[in-house]
Amino acid sequence: MAVLWLEDVNADDVGTVGGKAASLGELIGAGLPVPPGFTVTAGTYRTFIEEAGIDEELFAAVDVDPEDSVALREAEQTASELIMETPLPDDVREEIVERYRSMGEDGAEAFVAVRSSATAEDLPDSSFAGQQETFLNVREQVLIRRVKECWASLFTQRAIYYRQQRGFPHADVDIAVVVQRMVDAEKSGVMFTSHPSTGDPQITIEAAWGLGEAVVSGTVSPDNYVYDREEGVVDKVTVADKKVEMVKDPETGETVELDVEGDRRTARVLSDEEIDDLVVLGERVEEHYGTPQDVEWAIHEGEIYMLQSRPITTIQETDDGAEATGTGGDTPRKSTAGDASSGQPGAGSVSNGGDDEDVLADGLGASPGVVSGAVRIVHKLDHLDQVQEGDVMVTEMTMPDMVPAMKRAAGIVTDEGGMTSHAAIISRELGVPAVVGTGNGTRLLEDGQQVTLDGDKGTVRAGADDEAEAGEEFEPVEAARPETPVKPMTATEVKVNVSIPEAAERAAATGADGVGLLRIEHMVLSLGKTPEKYIQDHGARAYQDELIEGVRRVADEFYPRPVRVRTIDAPTDEFRELEGGDGEPAEHNPMLGWRGIRRSLDKPNPFRQELAAFARLFEMGYDNLEVMFPLVNDASDIEGIKAHMRETGIDPDARRWGVMIETPASALQIEELAAAGIDFASFGTNDLTQYTLAVDRNNEHVAGRFDELHPAVLKLIGDTIETCRELGVDTSICGQAGSKTEMVEFLVDEGVSSISANIDAVRDVQHEVKRTEQRLLLDSVR
């Protein structure tokens, strides 16, 4: 049969109806509430392409080099034309339409969701979810077209690329289509039946108003509810500002995005009773499958419906079989619990640390550890001296000039910020426990009050914790030191990123091969004045001395291992906050503005003082220093840099220096940059991704599209590495993506010279590099 009812399939039918449909059928068989529907089988798709005689042409068209973006685009277009322009047999068309019509009620047309269900999707050890299409609120007029569009989506550029990366032959993957009655949801979301990284016994629920597509796509920041399965209680509730919702337009039937008005924006989506009902269903789903599940759900007129369930593939196991957090894994969707862009609690920010009445403030567990101490509230910079050793520093948000106080503090609490805020990043580098994004910690906590901060659970509790005080004193440096002292030996160097000199000792303890990125702007911003203002007030020599002191601290700690120092790359909005910043231009998007090398060349005096500081460091014998220049576009930038280097006493031919590859222009101009004399090129993946995809990662409307593993981004990186290898130029990566498993595998496959990771990810990256190199060696001799 071309079509099967969902109730007639189960988990054993993945090869027939794909992972999504098989899972829905299994849920129905288990007695769980699933909207009715049917599936156009994978065999129907296979018969269609074979009997139409387009199968050989189709598979030949998509058999392209996945690194060739032009070929990928042409492959997608050819595949789509073949499928969409080939007529569907009348008997298949009639059977699909007949099933659809039977789903209508009282003579009205049914609104249905049409979802792809590939046979290599949502498997226990891999998840290609999101690779193929989904259409909402579909009616008969476009139903057949939507089914064919789902078939064609098996051959999008992204799908072609990822299948080849994972070794799935195109001809071996079929696709079914689920046609399911739409739930006109008043509220919906996703649920992880266990922690998506650690597998801990907690259920995390994300919820928003309207259709769940807003949550899945990352369009809206959802509420976040955490249920402790061992204690049987709701452990944490985070109510988000839900600015938009997706709903069905009553006139056109189309899915539209509307602003959420009034008190609903900040109102709690789920009641305690609804959470309890979802927890019961979630536990039933996990028990049925025997493995943690990622569930999409919706509520309509008080009834809960399960829309989809797939295994969580990001829970990894240690060698002894215990579940443990890995360095990455296939993520089932763009928006997950703990996504920093959504402002929701992250991994480790849940679990009850005491009675609810003891919790004075809660937020995101940004840096792990449990400490007790006296609260010191910092409203102004001149309050920083009040923060003494062992205090818990509480402030609205941290700034670079707060770092000395942050290092003295036993713990840090902020009102604002997420997992990638200044407070979160610096706290993790320093090894200081921190809770960020409490919303009102500076108002809830009192100066001098004794509290216990839990940087794992994201809570601040009243009183001192005897165990925290009596236990072994937390040593940030020792905590960063690998538990297994034997360092994995790799041909690819694994370095570490350092944001501030104060983190140098902790960074060196990781056993990294050097520093892949030391940001000089943190040293400058901590002065509280713009470079021009500081030089004006204190003199050029004093400015150089400040830079030298910070750089030396890191260079000494790592000597003779190399330390790669990047010149200033602060955007104008950060300079505007400093004394002397009144004249900074007001830019609509500072990340696209006057920053990096373009600022340095336009305003050469501060830049020349940076270079003069490096010249003095070289004279002192710090031959392990390498200078890196940010936001370089082309060889004309290089010529300006070299001229200033020579004028400040640095011989470009005698010292190692290089550039950041952060724009498509620099990647495409790599041959010219190499000819201009660079020794290395280092990828800044955050900027390279947002400039390549035209996605501002801080814009909530498009942040879900930010993907460092996008084929276009990988194409730029891969081509640059290949060219640099041919020209004898070293390559490295120092962006956040360098700590991701998939990126590590890709980079080692391509032949990158080094990877620079965050302090807490160095040992994991070393192991991942070693595994990939061993695989390459084995492949070469088999």
Side-chain angles (χ1 to χ4, degrees):
M1 296 179 66
V3 178
L4 294 172
W5 290 111
L6 289 176
E7 61 194 47
D8 294 329
V9 301
N10 57 40
D12 295 330
D13 297 317
V14 172
T16 303
V17 298
K20 190 177 283 97
S23 174
L24 289 169
E26 189 74 15
L27 292 175
I28 293 172
L32 290 158
V34 176
F38 61 88
T39 176
V40 182
T41 66
T44 303
Y45 154 77
R46 177 64 65 165
T47 301
F48 165 71
I49 63 173
E50 290 180 350
E51 292 188 353
I54 63 172
D55 54 330
E56 292 185 4
E57 185 178 358
L58 178 64
F59 297 132
V62 297
D63 185 18
V64 297
D65 178 0
E67 306 301 337
D68 187 335
S69 58
V70 174
L72 270 178
R73 183 169 58 252
E74 292 175 349
E76 177 185 37
Q77 183 177 348
T78 301
S80 178
E81 291 173 353
L82 284 170
I83 292 173
M84 297 305 299
E85 295 176 7
T86 302
L88 192 66
D90 290 342
D91 58 336
V92 176
R93 176 187 296 270
E94 290 171 3
E95 188 172 356
I96 293 172
V97 172
E98 180 183 347
R99 291 291 178 102
Y100 164 79
R101 289 174 177 171
S102 70
M103 295 170 65
E105 296 180 342
D106 301 324
E109 273 193 285
F111 285 92
V112 295
V114 180
R115 304 174 185 270
S116 59
S117 180
T119 56
E121 182 180 66
D122 300 339
L123 302 179
D125 57 353
S126 65
S127 177
F128 298 154
Q131 298 295 316
Q132 282 77 54
E133 287 287 4
T134 289
F135 302 97
L136 305 179
N137 289 311
V138 175
R139 288 188 283 187
E140 181 175 333
Q141 183 179 2
V142 295
L143 175 61
I144 299 302
R145 178 173 182 82
R146 295 305 189 216
V147 170
K148 293 178 70 177
E149 284 176 335
C150 283
W151 287 349
S153 72
L154 192 62
F155 302 104
T156 62
Q157 295 180 54
R158 186 182 178 110
I160 294 170
Y161 183 92
Y162 278 101
R163 272 201 303 278
Q164 294 198 187
Q165 286 290 99
R166 290 161 175 77
F168 282 83
H170 299 298
D172 291 355
V173 180
D174 291 333
I175 186 167
V177 178
V178 173
V179 179
Q180 191 176 22
R181 183 184 295 161
M182 281 289 300
V183 175
D184 196 7
E186 295 99 21
K187 51 187 74 173
S188 53
V190 298
M191 169 170 54
F192 297 93
T193 63
S194 292
H195 193 287
S197 293
T198 65
D200 289 343
Q202 67 184 49
I203 291 180
T204 302
I205 303 170
E206 290 186 333
W209 304 116
L211 301 176
E213 188 67 16
V215 177
V216 173
S217 65
T219 302
V220 67
S221 294
D223 285 359
N224 186 283
Y225 308 88
V226 178
Y227 180 88
D228 188 324
R229 296 174 63 178
E230 291 184 339
E231 298 292 333
V233 296
V234 177
D235 187 57
K236 191 174 185 64
V237 175
T238 303
V239 179
D241 183 0
K242 300 164 288 292
K243 299 177 182 177
V244 297
E245 64 179 328
M246 288 186 176
V247 299
K248 181 179 72 177
D249 186 311
E251 295 183 4
T252 66
E254 296 180 352
T255 303
V256 295
E257 182 180 306
L258 301 177
D259 291 335
V260 177
E261 298 180 352
D263 295 339
R264 289 177 69 235
R265 276 182 53 159
T266 54
R268 178 171 160 170
V269 174
L270 295 178
S271 66
D272 289 341
E273 292 75 18
E274 288 170 329
I275 293 174
D276 289 341
D277 291 342
L278 281 166
V279 165
V280 169
L281 290 174
E283 289 180 333
R284 284 178 60 189
V285 172
E286 180 171 308
E287 182 179 0
H288 178 77
Y289 282 107
T291 184
Q293 295 289 300
D294 166 5
V295 180
E296 292 182 26
W297 56 268
I299 297 178
H300 174 61
E301 295 182 348
E303 296 293 324
I304 299 176
Y305 295 91
M306 303 282 101
L307 306 181
Q308 188 169 318
S309 184
R310 59 169 71 99
I312 299 174
T313 60
T314 49
I315 299 175
Q316 299 193 3
E317 293 189 353
T318 59
D319 292 339
D320 60 3
E323 290 174 340
T325 305
T327 58
D330 293 312
T331 49
R333 58 165 55 83
K334 296 173 185 174
S335 174
T336 61
D339 187 341
S341 66
S342 71
Q344 302 308 310
S349 66
V350 294
S351 170
N352 196 16
D355 297 335
D356 287 345
E357 58 266 26
D358 291 338
V359 177
L360 303 174
D362 57 10
L364 307 179
S367 182
V370 179
V371 293
S372 291
V375 169
R376 292 289 175 250
I377 297 179
V378 176
H379 289 299
K380 300 178 181 178
L381 293 180
D382 54 12
H383 294 167
L384 290 172
D385 290 342
Q386 299 174 13
V387 180
Q388 301 299 315
E389 295 284 345
D391 287 343
V392 174
M393 176 176 154
V394 182
T395 188
E396 182 179 353
M397 65 178 66
T398 65
M399 294 176 286
D401 40 11
M402 291 183 174
V403 169
M406 293 172 71
K407 189 176 183 186
R408 290 196 302 272
I412 296 165
V413 179
T414 68
D415 291 350
E416 307 294 339
M419 298 299 286
T420 57
S421 64
H422 176 269
I425 293 171
I426 301 304
S427 295
R428 288 194 292 270
E429 287 203 5
L430 294 175
V432 176
V435 176
V436 302
T438 62
N440 52 4
T442 54
R443 296 189 298 277
L444 293 175
L445 304 176
E446 298 178 4
D447 203 68
Q449 180 181 18
Q450 286 290 322
V451 297
T452 297
L453 179 154
D454 192 322
D456 296 283
K457 300 169 185 174
T459 59
V460 181
R461 304 195 309 273
D465 187 308
D466 292 338
E467 292 186 7
E469 289 192 325
E472 294 183 7
E473 185 176 351
F474 178 69
E475 292 289 346
V477 174
E478 292 306 312
R481 202 179 304 281
E483 294 182 10
T484 53
V486 179
K487 173 186 170 185
M489 299 304 296
T490 61
T492 308
E493 291 183 326
V494 178
K495 298 178 180 178
V496 63
N497 295 330
V498 179
S499 296
I500 54 175
E502 289 83 353
E505 184 181 3
R506 191 163 185 262
T510 63
D513 293 316
V515 175
L517 171 62
L518 172 60
R519 299 174 175 90
I520 205 171
E521 60 262 18
H522 283 289
M523 305 174 203
V524 175
L525 295 174
S526 66
L527 299 176
K529 300 179 180 181
T530 63
E532 296 90 338
K533 179 64 173 174
Y534 194 91
I535 293 170
Q536 177 185 329
D537 291 348
H538 307 282
R541 186 76 175 187
Y543 182 67
Q544 295 174 24
D545 289 343
E546 291 286 352
L547 300 181
I548 288 171
E549 181 181 352
V551 173
R552 281 184 66 181
R553 189 166 180 177
V554 182
D556 282 335
E557 198 67 53
F558 277 84
Y559 195 88
R561 290 173 286 175
V563 173
R564 192 166 288 173
V565 189
R566 187 180 69 188
T567 57
I568 285 181
D569 189 26
T572 52
D573 55 338
E574 292 188 12
F575 277 115
R576 198 180 303 117
E577 299 299 319
L578 304 177
E579 184 181 343
D582 298 341
E584 289 293 319
E587 298 178 314
H588 178 67
N589 187 343
M591 298 307 291
L592 290 173
W594 199 42
R595 52 172 286 229
I597 202 62
R598 56 187 65 165
R599 180 189 184 102
S600 296
L601 294 178
D602 288 349
K603 232 174 187 178
N605 185 42
F607 180 52
R608 288 165 64 87
Q609 302 313 320
E610 292 176 57
L611 295 176
F614 287 120
R616 289 173 57 191
L617 284 162
F618 289 138
E619 291 174 1
M620 295 176 188
Y622 288 100
D623 53 5
N624 62 327
L625 291 179
E626 302 174 349
V627 187
M628 181 160 61
F629 301 99
L631 215 65
V632 167
N633 265 350
D634 48 44
S636 64
D637 288 336
I638 296 294
E639 293 309 316
I641 291 169
K642 289 166 67 176
H644 286 296
M645 290 175 72
R646 293 190 182 98
E647 289 173 12
T648 52
I650 300 175
D651 182 353
D653 298 323
R655 301 296 179 184
R656 279 184 57 82
W657 59 279
V659 299
M660 297 282 289
I661 303 296
E662 300 169 281
T663 66
S666 58
L668 296 171
Q669 290 277 304
I670 190 61
E671 289 188 30
E672 289 78 5
L673 296 179
I678 65 172
D679 296 299
F680 60 83
S682 185
F683 300 103
T685 49
N686 284 344
D687 281 339
L688 183 60
T689 300
Q690 68 177 349
Y691 297 149
T692 301
L693 304 182
V695 170
D696 179 354
R697 64 184 185 276
N698 295 318
N699 183 332
E700 63 186 25
H701 298 295
V702 296
R705 294 177 175 269
F706 186 85
D707 180 12
E708 301 106 319
L709 298 172
H710 189 282
V713 178
L714 296 183
K715 167 72 172 171
L716 289 171
I717 294 174
D719 287 354
T720 302
I721 292 174
E722 181 180 1
T723 301
C724 285
R725 290 180 65 187
E726 293 172 355
L727 300 176
V729 174
D730 287 344
T731 53
S732 63
I733 183 173
C734 56
Q736 297 292 320
S739 299
K740 294 184 176 181
T741 299
E742 290 183 14
M743 181 61 84
V744 171
E745 293 176 351
F746 171 79
L747 292 169
V748 176
D749 278 338
E750 294 296 316
V752 76
S753 307
S754 66
I755 297 172
S756 193
N758 299 330
I759 290 176
D760 53 4
V762 168
R763 184 48 56 96
D764 286 337
V765 172
Q766 287 172 336
H767 284 294
E768 191 59 45
V769 168
K770 182 178 180 180
R771 278 192 292 269
T772 305
E773 289 182 347
Q774 289 177 333
R775 173 178 57 78
L776 291 173
L777 286 172
L778 285 173
D779 289 346
S780 69
V781 298
R782 281 173 173 163

